Amino acid sequence: MYAIIEASGRQYKVEEGMTLFTERQNGKESGDEIVFDRVILVHNGEEATVGKPYVDGAKVVGKVVSHGRDKKVLVVKFGPRKNFDRVNGHRQWFTEVSIEKIETGVK
């Protein structure tokens, strides 16, 4: 069984037991439960339920493992023949979530 969820403006394919790295979820600490209720699609192996835009009653439950920062990405701007170059670095914040349960909402 898998589901496609929307979190922080991005879509993720999740399965039970997997680890998901999302944008930083503010207000959540390590060990807290997090619920993703914007479920776009649920596939249980035989049939798929597609939402319009979200599946009614479906949710994905996970547990926050940790917060952190990703590897540094260097942004280089360069102007030829203008004696111009600039190097900036960026490290994106993330939240590591362990997916525990996918609830379909179908009885």
Side-chain angles (χ1 to χ4, degrees):
M1 172 182 264
Y2 70 89
I4 297 178
I5 63 171
E6 182 180 329
S8 302
R10 298 180 184 200
Q11 295 177 2
Y12 301 97
K13 179 181 176 183
V14 296
E15 297 177 1
E16 291 182 5
M18 76 174 286
T19 301
L20 175 67
F21 292 90
T22 67
E23 298 289 322
R24 178 163 174 114
Q25 304 293 321
N26 292 326
K28 300 289 184 180
E29 298 297 327
S30 296
D32 288 352
E33 183 178 90
I34 186 167
V35 177
F36 300 103
D37 56 353
R38 293 181 172 188
V39 179
I40 298 171
L41 179 137
V42 176
H43 190 274
N44 63 3
E46 298 157 0
E47 63 181 44
T49 305
V50 181
K52 297 179 182 177
Y54 304 116
V55 179
D56 291 333
K59 63 182 178 179
V60 174
V61 180
K63 182 183 276 189
V64 175
V65 177
S66 66
H67 297 289
R69 295 182 79 180
D70 209 354
K71 292 183 178 179
K72 183 176 280 194
V73 176
L74 292 178
V75 180
V76 179
K77 294 182 179 182
F78 175 74
R81 299 182 312 273
K82 303 293 185 192
N83 197 20
F84 169 78
D85 59 343
R86 179 178 298 149
V87 179
N88 291 334
H90 176 74
R91 293 184 65 195
Q92 185 68 34
W93 285 96
F94 67 84
T95 298
E96 183 179 358
V97 179
S98 174
I99 303 299
E100 295 179 341
K101 183 171 35 174
I102 298 174
E103 297 178 4
T104 59
V106 178
K107 306 253 190 289

